[in-house]
Amino acid sequence: MIDLIGKIFIILGIGFDFFGVLGLVRLPDVYNRLQAATKCVTFGSAGILFGVFLMHGFTNLGFKVLLGIAFIFLTSPVAAHAISRAAHRSDISLTEKTVVDHYQDDKELKEE
Amino acid sequence: MKWIRWLIGLIIIAAFLIWDVFFLELAFEIKLINIILFCALFVLFRVIVGPSPADRIVAVDILGILIVGMLALLSSYYEKSYLMDVGLIWALMSFIASLAFAKILEGRFLDD
Amino acid sequence: MTKENKGRVIVFILSLFVYLGLTSFTDLQEIITGVIVAIIVSLLVGKFLLSTESKGNAFKRFFYGIAYFFKFLWEMAKANLHVAYLVIHPQVPIKPGIVKIKTNLKDDTALTVLANSITLTPGTLTVDINPAEQELYIHWIDVISTDKEECSREIAGRFEKLLMEVFE
């Protein structure tokens, strides 16, 4: 029974991974791609790891997999934040559909 | 034009999924690893095409997280827990790599 | 107990637990090695762990932390379904923009947790943070309004109450 639940978690995780990667290809600029990719791929990989943990229980492998979930959840938002800030500071433009950009306005104010 | 592209993509993805799930005689985990490798192809597309450097950094970051999920599945299939060690180290190293790339993209260097 | 010693004890327990989990919980040799390594690590880096004195009722804060974790998981599942909808839709109906929000949290850890949670929940991504004036710049994939107050309520209001209870 617990094996089946683990397999369902793994399949859901793969599905979310796939949507995240599709977003990486289809969305129009760096920031949108970063949004889709970070959210979906983090959640999807964590789902895969949790499914493997359910299939194996508290063995050596299960403990390593839990540690992996902690790593992914702690590191991926920080990396996304660093990349988006660096992209904005090195003047990579937003897409044409963009409605508003308060960050740019504040940066111009500071420079003046 | 958009609809035609969308349909072609849908057909390619559906054909791959049907071929992978129903026509290959492999274990459950290996089939799922095939799907993850298919996702990695999309990521490689973004690495090669990506118009700005930030796009490439995002893609490499995402590839790291995908590979952690893949290694978890692989170690679950072979029941060897040392493959997950590789995954843990990979997660940490790809995090540090994206931070370093982001810092260089911002125009600062390591002693800054 | 001073806060440095407290940090050392926490680092000792955590590193011993992780070491034994990675090797084995029953082997005597591994346990002895683990204790020695954990003592060295905790003496070296223990003083950096805690930056503020603890305050408030620890049990209540723990309870709110658990509640926050489940709320966060729920919001994250919603985020993924939202992104999946956007990606599958043939015309990609997005309306992105970068807005500025204001938060009432002061603690550094609380701000970090809030920024990370915003990154992992529906349609929002923290771009930069200004701790002096407690402002966050958020990239929003589907901008509803550009007013500062309304954005703050819409984006940060979901987590702010629980985080207030946990960290302040």
Side-chain angles (χ1 to χ4, degrees):
Chain A
M1 185 61 202
I2 198 113
D3 219 48
L4 186 71
I5 298 174
K7 282 183 182 178
I8 290 172
F9 263 99
I10 292 177
I11 292 174
L12 275 180
I14 299 257
F16 280 128
D17 264 8
F18 191 76
F19 289 133
V21 170
L22 215 57
L24 192 66
V25 174
R26 291 200 68 203
L27 292 176
D29 71 346
V30 185
Y31 309 94
N32 294 316
R33 280 172 199 150
L34 202 51
Q35 286 223 15
T38 311
K39 282 194 253 291
C40 279
V41 176
T42 305
F43 198 62
S45 281
I48 297 173
L49 265 58
F50 191 67
V52 172
F53 166 70
L54 284 183
M55 282 167 75
H56 287 261
F58 276 103
T59 56
N60 207 337
L61 175 59
F63 190 83
K64 280 174 191 172
V65 164
L66 279 187
L67 208 60
I69 295 179
F71 281 172
I72 289 180
F73 265 100
L74 287 180
T75 58
S76 84
V78 181
H81 163 68
I83 294 172
S84 68
R85 200 179 76 148
H88 205 288
R89 290 204 174 171
S90 64
D91 294 332
I92 291 170
S93 58
L94 282 82
T95 174
E96 286 157 7
K97 290 183 190 170
T98 303
V99 189
V100 56
D101 190 352
H102 284 159
Y103 191 37
Q104 187 69 34
D105 304 343
D106 280 14
K107 228 167 42 175
E108 279 161 7
L109 270 183
K110 254 180 217 166
E111 276 165 7
E112 274 169 12
Chain B
M1 197 56 211
K2 235 173 186 166
W3 284 92
I4 298 171
R5 258 172 51 197
W6 189 79
L7 263 181
I8 292 173
L10 186 71
I11 289 170
I12 292 175
I13 291 167
F16 174 80
L17 284 181
I18 290 170
W19 175 70
D20 185 57
V21 173
F22 296 109
F23 289 89
L24 286 181
E25 292 177 356
L26 293 171
F28 173 74
E29 278 100 344
I30 302 294
K31 281 182 183 174
L32 294 181
I33 287 175
N34 277 341
I35 301 179
I36 294 184
L37 291 176
F38 187 62
C39 293
L41 273 184
F42 284 84
V43 181
L44 281 181
F45 169 79
R46 188 47 73 196
V47 171
I48 295 166
V49 172
S52 69
D55 286 303
R56 299 195 169 101
I57 296 173
V58 173
V60 170
D61 185 35
I62 295 310
L63 195 61
I65 305 176
L66 272 184
I67 283 176
V68 174
M70 197 187 94
L71 282 167
L73 280 179
L74 207 61
S75 66
S76 158
Y77 174 65
Y78 287 115
E79 307 216 334
K80 298 272 194 298
S81 67
Y82 56 74
L83 285 169
M84 196 52 213
D85 284 349
V86 182
L88 290 180
I89 304 298
W90 199 302
L92 288 181
M93 293 305 274
S94 82
F95 167 62
I96 293 169
S98 8
L99 284 193
F101 281 141
K103 198 167 182 177
I104 290 172
L105 181 69
E106 208 171 311
R108 297 185 294 163
F109 287 93
L110 295 182
D111 54 348
D112 198 357
Chain C
M1 202 190 280
T2 62
K3 81 185 183 196
E4 286 176 7
N5 281 336
K6 214 170 170 183
R8 286 195 181 108
V9 170
I10 296 173
V11 169
F12 175 77
I13 295 171
L14 269 181
S15 53
L16 182 64
F17 186 66
V18 170
Y19 186 88
L20 292 183
L22 287 178
T23 53
S24 112
F25 278 103
T26 50
D27 193 354
L28 185 64
Q29 226 173 342
E30 298 289 4
I31 292 174
I32 292 171
T33 323
V35 168
I36 293 171
V37 171
I39 285 175
I40 294 172
V41 170
S42 60
L43 284 181
L44 281 178
V45 300
K47 59 184 170 187
F48 302 118
L49 182 69
L50 298 178
S51 58
T52 51
E53 295 285 340
S54 68
K55 59 207 162 210
N57 187 344
F59 179 73
K60 205 172 145 197
R61 287 174 65 196
F62 181 74
F63 173 74
Y64 275 110
I66 299 282
Y68 175 74
F69 181 71
F70 280 105
K71 170 131 177 114
F72 169 69
L73 276 188
W74 169 240
E75 291 286 342
M76 199 167 167
K78 270 198 328 202
N80 284 287
L81 291 176
H82 178 235
V83 172
Y85 165 73
L86 284 184
V87 166
I88 291 177
H89 198 282
Q91 290 179 331
V92 196
I94 56 174
K95 207 172 101 184
I98 295 182
V99 296
K100 186 161 75 173
I101 68 168
K102 188 162 173 53
T103 151
N104 299 319
L105 300 167
K106 289 190 190 73
D107 196 47
D108 276 354
T109 321
L111 274 178
T112 312
V113 174
L114 180 67
N116 280 3
S117 315
I118 284 174
T119 298
L120 290 173
T121 49
T124 49
L125 172 82
T126 316
V127 174
D128 203 351
I129 186 168
N130 183 355
E133 296 176 26
Q134 298 173 5
E135 288 168 345
L136 285 91
Y137 297 94
I138 310 278
H139 182 268
W140 201 357
I141 208 169
D142 201 5
V143 177
I144 298 174
S145 81
T146 56
D147 181 48
K148 198 167 156 189
E149 299 293 321
E150 210 174 328
C151 292
S152 308
R153 208 173 47 243
E154 190 70 30
I155 295 173
R158 288 180 288 214
F159 301 114
E160 225 169 12
K161 268 184 208 157
L162 281 171
L163 277 180
M164 281 285 222
E165 296 286 348
V166 176
F167 287 101
E168 278 166 23

